[in-house]
Amino acid sequence: MSRYIVKRILQSLLTVVIVVIAVFLLLRLMPTSGYFTRDDYINMTEEMRSAYLRNLGITDPAVIQLQRFFAGVFRGDLGRSITVYPKLPISTILAEKVPYSLWFGLASMFISVTLGFGLGILMARFKDRWPDHLGTAYVVAVRAIPSLIYLFLIQIWVTGIMRWPMVFYEDRPVTWILPVVSLSLTGIAWYGIWLRRFMVDEENRDYIKFARSKGLSQKYIMRHHVLRNAVVPLVQYLPVQLLLTIAGSLIIESIYSIPGMGGLLVYAIKQQDNNLVQVLVLIYAVLGVAGVFVGDLLMAFVDPRIRLAEKKKKKEALRV
Amino acid sequence: MTETREKILRVEDVVIRFNLRGKELTAVRSASLDLYKGETLAIVGESGSGKSVFTKSFLGMLDKNGRVASGNILFEGENLAEFTREEQWLKIRGRKIAMIFQDPMTALNPLKTIGEQIREVITLHRGMNRQEAREEALAMLGKVGIGDAAQRYGQYPHEFSGGMRQRVVIAIAAACRPDILICDEPTTALDVTIQAQILENLKELQREMGMSIIFITHDLGVVANVADRVAVMYAGEIVEYGRTPEVFYDPRHPYSWALLASLPQLGEKGEDLYTIHGTPPNLFKEIKGDAFAPRNPRALKIDFEEAPPWFAVSDTHFAKTWLLHESAPEVEAPKIIQRLKEKSLKGLDYGS
C-alpha cells in the first residue's frame, strides 16, 4: 500500500510539473505587449519598454525563467501580479479571494451532497412513480436550460419578493443564501441522477434477489445493501469536487459581485498577466491531481475488491 | 411409504400469469405438487418450462408483473397464494422457506463480508445478538465445508471460488433452519467435481436439519443422485411425477421419454443422439390438448383435442397422458426407454 502511495505521489508530481511547463512555454509565445498596463505601454518609449521587460526577467532564456519560477514556488514566493493587480504579491491576492470561493463552495457542496443524495434515494425508491418523474424533470431542467437564464431569474425574482439586496454583502448573511442555493442547483441534480442510476442498477442485481429471499425487509435491503453499494462509485469524485470548490464559480460570483476566485483565471489570461496565470494553473493542477489521487485511495477504502498494492496481489495468488 | 409421511406443502392447481407489454403470458398452467417432510423433490424440465417461476411463487418472489392467478399454496395452515402484502411474506421468506439460486458468483453482496451476510439473517430471524450470531454463523460455515471459518468470516465474496461461494450461499439459506429449501439449479454453474461435493453437502445438511428440499434442475444425473421423488414439468404444467426409480426406469409420459432419451449417457455407441424436435408452445396462446403433442411423434388424435387427466401408474406414480387410458392403443416407448427398464431389473446404479 505505502509503495503504491509513494509511486502515485511521484506520478502526480510529474503530471503537475509537465502541466506547468507546458503552460509556461505557451505563455512565452504571447506578444510582450501584454506585460504592460495599457497606459504604461502608450506612455513608454521603446527603450523604456525593453528595460522594463528586462527588469521583469522576461527576456531571459525560458529555462532560466522556469528555474526562477520553481525556485520561487519552493521558497513559498508565488511572484507578483503584473497587469491584473499591478505589483501585488499573488499570495496576497489569493489570501483575499480564496476564502470567499472556498466557503461558498463548501456550503454548496454540503447542500448538494445531502439534498442530492436525498433526491437520488427518493427517485430510486419511487422509481417510475411521481417523485421519480418530478426529480427527472428537475434534473433535465437544470441541465438543459442555460444556467445564466435561471440564475438571473432566481436573483431578480427572489430578491424582489424577499426584498433582499441584489448582490452580496459580507456583513449581511441574508445575501449569502442565494449564491449558495444557486451554486447547489446543478450539484443536487448531478448527485441525484447518478445515485438514482447506481441504486437502480444495484436493485436489479442477483444478490438483492437473494437478500429478499432471505427475508430481509425492503427498507433494510435499501439501506444496507442498495444504498451502501450505490454510493461507492460516487465516492471517487468527492475529493476532486471538494478541492476544486476553491476555483469558485465564474457566473455566480459575477452576478452577485462576490470577490472570489471565479473568473480570475479568465481575467488573468485576457490581461496577459503571465505570473498570475502561471500560479493559478499550478494551483488548479495540484488540486485536480491531488483530488483524483485521494479519490482513488478512497475507492480502495470503500471497495474491498480494489487492491492498491501489487505485492499483496501476488500473495493472494499464492493462497489460491 | 411416502403416503404415511407428513405433508409439509400442498400446491394445488396454481396458475401464474405475467403481464408482458400488455399481453398475458401464462407461465404456469395449473401445476400441483405435494412436498413431504424431509424429502427431496426434484422438478425437471427444459428451460422455460416454468420450474423456477412455479417455485418462486412459494416465496412471493415473482417479478412485479407476475401474479398467482388462481390455485392454492397451502403451508402451515395458510394459503400463500392469497398473500398480498410484503409483511406477510417476511414471515415466510428465509425462516420457513428459503431459496438458493443458480449463480453463486452474483448471489452475494460484493462489498460486504461473508460474515456480515450470514449474521444479518441470523440476527433477523433468530433474534440472536451479535456474538451469538457470529458463533452460529461460524458453525454454519463449518457445516457447509468451509475450513478455517474464523478467518473466512471476515473475507469478501471475491476471495472465494465459485464452489466456495455456493457453500456460503447454502450456509446463509440454511442458517435460519427453514422447513423448505428451494434449490434453483444450484450446481449448474459449477464444474462436475464441485457439483458432487455441494450435493453431498446439501444431503448432509438435510439429514441433520430435517428440512425438505425442492431441487430444480435440468440435469437428470443430479436428480438421480439427490431426489426421492421427481416431477417432470413441461410448458407450465407437471406431466408426470413419482418416486425417482419409477420415473427413471418406468417413465410413462412421452415427454419424460423424450427427456430421458436425450441423455447422452443412455445412448449406445454409434447411434445418433436423440433430440426433441420443435420448440415448446407459445405461452401467450391458449394450449389445446396435451401441450407436448405437436412435438411428440407418437401423439394420438385425442392429444390434440383434449388435455389428458392424471392416470395412476402406482400409488406413488402418476402421469398425465392419454396413453394410460384403458382404451388407448398400445404405443411402444422408444428403444432407449425400453432398455432402461431392462437395466433397472438388473439393478443399475444410476449415478452422475
Side-chain angles (χ1 to χ4, degrees):
Chain A
M1 186 82 162
S2 55
R3 229 183 90 180
Y4 173 85
I5 292 175
V6 171
K7 203 173 128 200
R8 273 299 296 271
I9 289 177
L10 291 178
Q11 279 176 348
S12 306
L13 273 177
L14 187 67
T15 311
V16 170
V17 169
I18 291 174
V19 169
V20 171
I21 291 177
V23 173
F24 193 92
L25 294 179
L26 281 173
L27 286 171
R28 307 299 128 177
L29 297 177
M30 305 274 275
T32 49
S33 58
Y35 293 103
F36 300 89
T37 55
R38 224 179 113 86
D39 292 344
D40 279 356
Y41 191 78
I42 293 165
N43 296 334
M44 283 181 186
T45 64
E46 192 59 45
E47 272 157 28
M48 286 165 81
R49 284 179 200 150
S50 54
Y52 174 73
L53 286 177
R54 218 174 305 123
N55 196 26
L56 275 178
I58 304 296
T59 47
D60 296 339
V63 182
I64 294 184
Q65 290 186 47
L66 201 54
Q67 203 185 0
R68 207 185 292 138
F69 173 70
F70 278 119
V73 170
F74 277 115
R75 280 199 314 272
D77 174 14
L78 298 178
R80 285 164 190 272
S81 165
I82 303 169
T83 48
V84 176
Y85 298 96
K87 308 267 160 33
L88 211 56
I90 292 174
S91 48
T92 312
I93 301 172
L94 294 180
E96 210 156 281
K97 286 186 165 292
V98 163
Y100 291 104
S101 294
L102 189 64
W103 288 117
F104 274 111
L106 290 181
S108 93
M109 183 149 168
F110 177 76
I111 291 174
S112 298
V113 170
T114 43
L115 292 189
F117 274 35
L119 179 71
I121 293 167
L122 220 64
M123 286 168 80
R125 175 80 187 75
F126 296 100
K127 181 171 168 275
D128 293 331
R129 310 241 291 275
W130 66 264
D132 187 20
H133 296 314
L134 210 66
T136 308
Y138 165 71
V139 173
V140 170
V142 166
R143 311 237 90 191
I145 302 170
S147 55
L148 258 182
I149 296 176
Y150 59 79
L151 292 178
F152 263 131
L153 290 180
I154 288 173
Q155 185 188 26
I156 291 164
W157 283 342
V158 178
T159 51
I161 293 166
M162 305 299 290
R163 304 196 173 283
W164 288 342
M166 283 281 276
V167 295
F168 167 75
Y169 291 104
E170 212 173 337
D171 51 355
R172 295 196 57 187
V174 82
T175 63
W176 305 354
I177 297 170
L178 282 185
V180 172
V181 170
S182 304
L183 271 171
S184 310
L185 289 176
T186 47
I188 293 170
W190 193 88
Y191 288 112
I193 202 70
W194 283 107
L195 187 63
R196 173 197 183 276
R197 179 245 148 119
F198 289 130
M199 282 182 77
V200 170
D201 277 0
E202 290 304 317
E203 268 181 278
N204 289 321
R205 300 227 192 265
D206 280 354
Y207 71 82
I208 296 298
K209 217 169 40 172
F210 184 53
R212 284 220 300 147
S213 84
K214 279 150 76 169
L216 304 178
S217 69
Q218 185 67 22
K219 210 170 168 185
Y220 180 92
I221 291 174
M222 271 292 188
R223 199 172 301 162
H224 290 88
H225 289 276
V226 175
L227 182 60
R228 158 79 173 77
N229 290 13
V231 169
V232 166
L234 287 174
V235 161
Q236 195 175 12
Y237 302 103
L238 292 180
V240 179
Q241 289 178 351
L242 193 68
L243 290 177
L244 288 184
T245 51
I246 288 180
S249 154
L250 171 61
I251 295 172
I252 289 161
E253 287 182 7
S254 49
I255 65 177
Y256 288 101
S257 309
I258 298 168
M261 293 279 285
L264 186 59
L265 181 60
V266 178
Y267 197 59
I269 293 171
K270 241 166 52 188
Q271 301 277 310
Q272 212 184 326
D273 191 337
N274 285 8
N275 289 354
L276 192 52
V277 171
Q278 195 67 55
V279 171
L280 289 176
V281 168
L282 173 69
I283 289 172
Y284 294 161
V286 168
L287 292 179
V289 170
V292 171
F293 175 48
V294 176
D296 287 351
L297 287 185
L298 264 183
M299 277 299 270
F301 190 69
V302 293
D303 190 336
R305 288 168 299 182
I306 296 173
R307 279 285 156 76
L308 294 179
E310 288 116 285
K311 241 187 176 172
K312 211 160 189 177
K313 235 183 246 162
K314 270 182 216 145
K315 227 165 83 190
E316 203 111 340
L318 283 178
R319 205 189 300 150
V320 175
Chain B
M1 170 187 126
T2 23
E3 297 308 308
T4 56
R5 282 197 279 165
E6 185 194 336
K7 267 185 204 173
I8 186 163
L9 177 74
R10 260 176 69 199
V11 185
E12 300 170 338
D13 304 318
V14 161
V15 175
I16 297 171
R17 293 215 165 91
F18 286 89
N19 213 321
L20 283 174
R21 283 165 252 115
K23 284 202 288 183
E24 281 261 287
L25 177 143
T26 309
V28 173
R29 302 177 302 126
S30 193
S32 308
L33 66 78
D34 292 332
L35 186 69
Y36 297 94
K37 198 168 164 53
E39 77 162 344
T40 301
L41 170 71
I43 302 180
V44 299
E46 62 193 70
S47 307
S49 59
K51 314 178 291 265
S52 294
V53 167
F54 183 42
T55 50
K56 272 186 193 166
S57 70
F58 309 163
L59 275 166
M61 293 274 295
L62 295 177
D63 288 341
K64 276 197 183 112
N65 57 344
R67 68 201 154 87
V68 177
S70 63
N72 302 310
I73 303 169
L74 303 168
F75 176 76
E76 290 194 341
E78 281 186 290
N79 187 357
L80 308 188
E82 286 169 359
F83 278 15
T84 48
R85 284 176 299 118
E86 186 81 4
E87 301 89 80
Q88 294 174 297
W89 284 114
L90 292 183
K91 294 197 189 94
I92 300 289
R93 281 185 204 145
R95 73 176 74 187
K96 303 279 189 185
I97 306 178
M99 188 160 189
I100 60 180
F101 297 94
Q102 180 174 346
D103 190 356
M105 302 311 276
T106 55
L108 296 167
N109 185 337
L111 301 184
K112 274 180 181 280
T113 62
I114 297 304
E116 284 174 85
Q117 298 187 54
I118 304 184
R119 207 183 52 219
E120 71 185 358
V121 275
I122 297 175
T123 45
L124 172 72
H125 291 312
R126 296 175 61 186
M128 292 180 172
N129 67 32
R130 230 178 133 90
Q131 195 50 38
E132 290 168 338
R134 188 186 141 87
E135 296 297 320
E136 179 68 19
L138 288 177
M140 217 51 226
L141 285 174
K143 269 183 204 160
V144 294
I146 291 175
D148 205 1
Q151 194 207 333
R152 294 299 235 168
Y153 187 85
Q155 290 185 330
Y156 291 92
H158 69 275
E159 297 171 87
F160 288 70
S161 65
M164 280 296 171
R165 285 191 210 185
Q166 194 63 300
R167 287 169 199 269
V168 172
V169 169
I170 292 170
I172 292 173
C176 300
R177 312 195 171 261
D179 299 316
I180 303 173
L181 179 64
I182 300 170
C183 304
D184 190 351
E185 309 204 29
T187 57
T188 308
L190 305 172
D191 71 62
V192 186
T193 49
I194 308 291
Q195 243 180 46
Q197 293 170 11
I198 299 270
L199 293 179
E200 202 43 55
N201 219 289
L202 271 172
K203 277 198 257 183
E204 254 167 59
L205 272 180
Q206 180 179 31
R207 263 196 298 276
E208 196 185 316
M209 302 170 44
M211 61 190 171
S212 312
I213 293 182
I214 299 178
F215 208 97
I216 303 171
T217 182
H218 47 232
D219 185 340
L220 295 172
V222 169
V223 175
N225 213 338
V226 300
D228 301 310
R229 291 194 304 137
V230 181
V232 180
M233 200 160 179
Y234 181 73
E237 72 186 321
I238 288 170
V239 294
E240 178 162 7
Y241 68 89
R243 292 190 296 116
T244 307
E246 291 174 324
V247 176
F248 264 77
Y249 298 126
D250 188 20
R252 294 306 180 98
H253 194 282
Y255 179 66
S256 312
W257 291 348
L259 208 58
L260 282 165
S262 322
L263 271 179
Q265 297 96 308
L266 297 185
E268 298 265 301
K269 219 174 183 170
E271 281 175 20
D272 282 346
L273 183 62
Y274 181 85
T275 51
I276 306 176
H277 293 286
T279 50
N282 184 343
L283 296 173
F284 282 110
K285 291 183 182 144
E286 182 126 355
I287 293 171
K288 201 178 170 205
D290 183 339
F292 188 60
R295 303 172 77 184
N296 177 11
R298 296 174 178 77
L300 307 174
K301 208 174 153 202
I302 190 167
D303 279 333
F304 292 96
E305 277 154 21
E306 206 167 320
W310 283 110
F311 292 96
V313 182
S314 74
D315 287 349
T316 50
H317 185 188
F318 298 83
K320 239 181 194 176
T321 169
W322 285 116
L323 293 178
L324 292 171
H325 192 265
E326 53 190 4
S327 54
E330 273 296 314
V331 170
E332 284 232 318
K335 280 243 165 52
I336 294 181
I337 303 300
Q338 292 181 23
R339 276 204 299 263
L340 265 178
K341 213 165 181 177
E342 287 156 23
K343 280 182 191 165
S344 85
L345 297 174
K346 285 187 226 146
L348 172 92
D349 178 31
Y350 187 85
S352 67

